[in-house]
Every structure is written in C-alpha cells, then in structure tokens.
Amino acid sequence: MRIIVTGGAGFIGSNFVQYIYKERPDWQITILDVLTYAGNKSNLPGLDESRVKLIVGNICDEELVDSLVKDHDAVVHFAAESHNDNSLDNPRPFLDTNIVGTYTILEAVRKHKKRLHHISTDEVYGDLELDDPAKFTESTPYNPSSPYSSTKAGSDLLVRAWVRSFDVRATLSNCSNNYGPYQHVEKMIPRQITNIISGEKLKLYGSGENVRDWIHTEDHSSAVLAILEHGKIGETYMIGANGEKNNLEVFNLILKFMGKDTGWLEHVNDRPGHDMRYAIDASKIQKELGWTPKYTDFEAGLKDTIQWYTENEDWWRPQKEATEAKYKELGR
Ligand code: NAD
Ligand code: DAU
C-alpha cells in the first residue's frame, strides 16, 4: 500500500502517520504538507526515511497533487485550516485550503481512480442545546456556524458529490474534539496547560458551559484506519468516544492536576457565534466496523497530556508568543 497523508505534519495527521507506521509496517507513506504555522516537522520523530517521505507542498497545487496521486493507492486527507478563532479573524485561507484544496484532491483521485478518505469534523452539524437528548448522527442535517465549519461542510459536500457523480471511491468521517500530545498551543487544552507553565491564568470564553466531546487523537487514528480498510464507499462515519465535558469542568481538572486553585482563570471575550454543545453518536462505526476507543479515561489522558507539555517545552515554546499576541488583538 502506498498512501498519501495530506496534513501529515499537523496534530492529528502526524498521529495517524505514527499510528500506521507502527500498525502497517509494509506501507509506504508520503506526507503532503505545506507546513503552515500549524505544521511542524518535529511532530514526526523517529521515522525511517525509507518508509516515510515528506513532500513540502500545497494541496491546491494541481500539478503536484496530480503527480503524487498518480503513483499512490490511496489518499487520507487531513490537511485543513483547523482553528475557529482564526477563521473568524481571516476566513480566506479556509476557503482556499478547505474548499479548493479538497476539490484539487478530488479531481486527482477521480482522474487516477484512487481511494480517498476525507477527514471532517462534527462541527458541520452546528450545535446542540445543553439539554438536548439527541447526539449528532450520520443523518443529522448540516448547519455549520463558523467560516471554519462551513468550509469543512463545503468540502464534505464536494466529496459526496464526487462519489455520486463520478464514482470516486471515497469515505468520510466526522470526529469530535481531539486532545493529546503535539496539539498546537492555540487550541483550548494546550493553551491552558502552557499558560500555567508560563505563569499566566487560564482564559475562559463565555460562561464555560459550552460542551465538547473529547477523544484522544490515537483513537481518531485507529478509527480512520478501520474506515480506510473496511469502510463502505460513499459512507460517512461519526467518530467519538463519549467524552462530553463542559469547558469549566476541563479547566478545573487542568487546575487541579497542575496544583492551582480554581480562581486561577480569567474570563475573556467570548467567541462570536460560539457553538454550545457537540455530542457524537458513534454506534455506526462500532457496529459496522467493530471499532472501539482505547482511551476511555479522560482524566488519565488529560494527565498524560499535561505531562507531555510539561516535558516538551522546547516543542511548544516557539509557538507560544505569536499565538498569545494574536489572541491579545482579539481580546481573547
Ligand atoms: P492542524 O491545524 O494541527 O494541522 C493541519 C495540517 O495541515 C498542518 O500540518 C498544515 O501545515 C497542513 N496544511 C494546511 N493547509 C495546507 C495546504 N494548503 N496544503 C498542504 N498542507 C496544509 O489540524 P488538526 O487539528 O490536526 O486537524 C486535522 C484534520 O482533522 C482537519 O481536517 C480538521 O478539520 C479535522 N478535525 C480536527 C479535530 C480537532 O479536534 N483538532 C476534530 C475533528 C476533525
Ligand atoms: O469538534 C471538532 C473541532 O474541535 C475541530 O473541527 C476543530 O478543528 C478543533 O479546533 C476543535 O474546535 P473547537 O473550536 O471546539 O476547539 P478549541 O480548542 O478552539 O475550543 C474548545 C472550546 O474551548 C470552545 O468551546 C472554545 C473554548 N476555549 C477555547 C480557547 C482556545 C476557551 O474557553 N478558551 C480558550 O482559550
């Protein structure tokens, strides 16, 4: 199997590369990543160059994408602009990468008749009320809120259209909030951990009632591999691990595990259009593909993540200043 992983130097893509490197020792892996502020070669330590090749390039580059896809069997498409706050500040790169980039990949897999798995997010479904008994399923109508989630929704719809109109062999997955090592410090959990290490207070948006459904990155990776190998063409699979927690609960756990009292936080400007709650019903992938998450103890996973950021300041420190400067401009 020769596989292209787009966005393989980002948080989740690099975890997937490490996962298949270990689980599928006979696969050849080509990473296509333009190395934006979120892409980092040091997310990929310890890989043998005879099995893993990094091509630094843009998924919107038709010629490059075409030439790579021609010589591979499958594409797993993680590359995206992924942060909501950035999309509210400057939506343009989200349109380019998430929409035009996905279109470019679709045209190449169509031409060369290759397999595609498209990575998406639960945010395409909008949000749920706190007391809504329903969770997102594969048939929940699309209702995205932000420039980020609307461009992800657009990319999903392109993939579905290319399956139906051109018989492209694609599957899709929509996953909930990931956590774990190597996540950029702009995201909620690493931002708070690295704030404490830097002597800064935690920064809470709004009341902290917003709920996210947390899953460890490696569980996302194992689910994607299951879909790539056994998923039914044209189908969408929800990925989640029953990890619903409101933000204040997560903040309080971080404070407790890092030895701070509950007052060590600051209320900052809320995110415009802030989604209230995400929750995933993952019964389809569990029943049809036999997938189950391994990291079901969120508190243990969070402690390991805190330990990783504590021990890897060399990795995150270079991102921290620029990230916080951007947040300062936004009052967040
Ligand atoms: P990330 O921002 O950490 O990484 C994105 C990667 O894509 C980076 O390495 C970046 O350099 C690369 N990239 C961006 N634009 C590119 C372009 N034009 N050409 C080539 N490479 C480009 O993102 P992440 O959190 O790892 O998310 C990966 C995927 O998973 C995204 O599609 C995202 O929508 C989806 N997702 C993320 C989460 C989450 O909680 N982080 C949850 C569900 C789904
Ligand atoms: O649900 C999947 C999505 O999860 C992915 O598609 C996105 O790529 C990923 O970034 C994530 O989106 P969120 O917007 O939910 O994640 P973020 O880490 O930015 O924020 C999580 C919650 O924490 C959200 O309610 C906003 C809040 N927050 C965030 C930051 C950065 C804070 O309260 N303080 C903060 O400093």
Side-chain angles (χ1 to χ4, degrees):
M1 179 81 147
R2 291 157 306 165
I3 184 175
I4 297 172
V5 180
T6 73
F11 165 50
I12 308 173
S14 64
N15 186 280
F16 181 72
V17 167
Q18 296 281 4
Y19 186 76
I20 56 173
Y21 185 84
K22 190 175 61 188
E23 298 292 323
R24 296 291 178 271
D26 52 338
W27 288 16
Q28 291 288 328
I29 306 163
T30 300
I31 296 166
L32 173 59
D33 197 304
V34 78
L35 301 180
T36 65
Y37 77 96
N40 194 337
K41 277 187 199 168
S42 58
N43 293 2
L44 295 158
L47 301 174
D48 184 341
E49 281 176 25
S50 69
R51 283 192 53 211
V52 184
K53 199 156 108 189
L54 169 64
I55 307 284
V56 179
N58 198 312
I59 58 164
C60 300
D61 179 339
E62 284 177 33
E63 222 172 288
L64 173 66
V65 169
D66 185 88
S67 69
L68 288 174
V69 168
K70 180 158 62 73
D71 294 332
H72 289 77
D73 302 304
V75 181
V76 181
H77 176 34
F78 288 91
E81 285 291 338
S82 69
H83 192 40
N84 276 298
D85 291 320
N86 292 343
S87 81
L88 291 157
D89 188 39
N90 177 18
R92 179 65 202 233
F94 290 75
L95 287 144
D96 293 335
T97 290
N98 300 358
I99 302 277
V100 179
T102 302
Y103 159 77
T104 308
I105 286 162
L106 279 167
E107 283 296 82
V109 294
R110 167 159 92 107
K111 180 170 163 197
H112 298 293
K113 300 192 180 345
K114 305 293 179 163
R115 173 83 169 86
L116 170 68
H117 180 68
H118 174 68
I119 305 293
S120 192
T121 168
D122 57 359
E123 296 193 18
V124 299
Y125 302 107
D127 63 351
L128 299 162
E129 299 294 332
L130 290 179
D131 58 357
D132 193 332
K135 295 185 173 193
F136 297 139
T137 70
E138 289 77 5
S139 51
T140 303
Y142 275 39
N143 186 25
S145 314
S146 73
Y148 163 65
S149 53
S150 60
T151 55
K152 289 299 290 186
S155 69
D156 292 13
L157 298 182
L158 292 177
V159 176
R160 290 180 182 199
W162 262 241
V163 169
R164 176 154 173 170
S165 303
F166 304 124
D167 290 328
V168 163
R169 288 181 296 128
T171 42
L172 302 91
S173 54
N174 296 77
C175 187
S176 57
N177 284 62
N178 287 219
Y179 74 96
Y182 295 104
Q183 186 169 30
H184 194 277
V185 297
E186 69 191 355
K187 302 290 177 5
M188 189 263 245
I189 288 179
R191 186 181 185 204
Q192 314 314 324
I193 296 170
T194 56
N195 272 4
I196 296 186
I197 298 171
S198 307
E200 295 292 328
K201 288 188 173 167
L202 278 57
K203 312 282 185 193
L204 185 66
Y205 297 180
S207 62
E209 281 176 301
N210 308 67
V211 170
R212 296 295 181 264
D213 191 349
W214 295 99
I215 180 172
H216 194 279
T217 357
E218 194 167 306
D219 283 331
H220 190 176
S221 294
S222 66
V224 170
L225 181 58
I227 300 166
L228 182 66
E229 294 188 318
H230 306 293
K232 201 168 149 212
I233 298 304
E235 293 285 311
T236 292
Y237 297 87
M238 307 296 303
I239 304 173
N242 288 323
E244 276 190 76
K245 294 237 172 303
N246 77 35
N247 292 341
L248 195 55
E249 286 176 88
V250 178
F251 273 53
N252 283 333
L253 286 173
I254 294 172
L255 288 167
K256 182 169 112 188
F257 297 151
M258 297 187 75
K260 289 278 179 198
D261 66 52
T262 49
W264 190 255
L265 64 83
E266 205 177 301
H267 291 268
V268 292
N269 286 347
D270 203 355
R271 174 183 285 171
H274 195 172
D275 280 340
M276 185 48 82
R277 172 175 165 240
Y278 307 140
I280 293 262
D281 175 351
S283 48
K284 176 175 168 176
I285 187 172
Q286 298 196 339
K287 279 193 204 124
E288 293 185 11
L289 306 184
W291 172 82
T292 47
K294 195 167 110 189
Y295 296 85
T296 47
D297 182 344
F298 176 74
E299 294 195 16
L302 182 62
K303 274 187 193 160
D304 288 348
T305 305
I306 291 171
Q307 187 177 347
W308 188 86
Y309 281 91
T310 307
E311 289 170 357
N312 289 278
E313 188 163 342
D314 287 356
W315 180 86
W316 59 262
R317 181 59 71 188
Q319 313 163 0
K320 186 69 179 167
E321 203 180 318
T323 304
E324 289 305 321
K326 216 184 306 177
Y327 276 127
K328 202 169 173 196
E329 274 176 33
L330 301 171
R332 264 172 257 152

